[in-house]
Amino acid sequence: MSNTIEVNCTKKNLKLIRDFVSEYLRALALSDILMNQIVLAVDEICANLIIHANHEDPSKFISLTIKEQQSMLRFEISDRGLAFRRSEYKEPNIEEHIRLGKRGGVGIALVNRIMDKVEFISSDNKNTCLLYKKI
């Protein structure tokens, strides 16, 4: 079973993506906590792509495909914006962020904690983030 949604890069489309993922997950009878964590992780990556990689340019698009493979969910999120450079990414201290009341900057760290595997691939002007979650 595979499902795909494509939206243009405006923040208001994050709700469409969250609803799309929730709808898909609802059929799998997962716990609410697990469902919410997965929705949060996918939302975080999509928000980063819309805001940082594509500068909220409505003429650009991101697509999300959900695939199920032997008790594993695979979320494939693609765009043609600026590539995320994982090699330059430094994991923040989340507790320190909370203590200082800092906003933002912990999304990828959160995604890394929620998902079982996170990959970023760039080729031919196309960037893809793959998120894997055992269910």
Side-chain angles (χ1 to χ4, degrees), residues 35-113:
M35 227 171 97
N36 290 333
Q37 286 178 334
I38 293 171
V39 170
L40 176 68
V42 173
D43 181 64
E44 188 55 47
I45 295 294
C46 292
N48 282 353
L49 293 181
I50 287 171
I51 298 163
H52 302 298
N54 294 285
H55 308 292
E56 297 182 59
D57 179 345
S59 70
K60 295 182 174 181
F61 293 86
I62 62 169
S63 76
L64 162 66
T65 300
I66 306 173
K67 287 192 175 116
E68 234 174 299
Q69 309 156 294
Q70 307 96 16
S71 69
M72 177 78 81
L73 285 175
R74 178 171 168 259
F75 298 86
E76 183 177 312
I77 307 160
S78 301
D79 75 332
R80 297 190 177 277
L82 298 171
F84 173 69
R85 289 199 254 302
R86 192 166 210 168
S87 58
E88 295 170 17
Y89 175 71
K90 185 179 174 299
E91 178 107 351
N93 178 329
I94 292 179
E95 290 76 21
E96 185 71 0
H97 257 65
I98 293 166
R99 193 177 68 74
L100 296 172
K102 274 186 171 177
R103 287 179 58 92
V106 296
I108 299 289
L110 212 65
V111 172
N112 287 334
R113 282 174 174 73

Side-chain angles (χ1 to χ4, degrees), residues 95-128:
E95 290 76 21
E96 185 71 0
H97 257 65
I98 293 166
R99 193 177 68 74
L100 296 172
K102 274 186 171 177
R103 287 179 58 92
V106 296
I108 299 289
L110 212 65
V111 172
N112 287 334
R113 282 174 174 73
I114 292 169
M115 292 299 188
D116 294 303
K117 188 170 159 197
V118 179
E119 295 177 318
F120 292 92
I121 304 158
S122 292
S123 64
D124 305 330
N125 289 335
K126 183 179 176 190
N127 307 306
T128 304

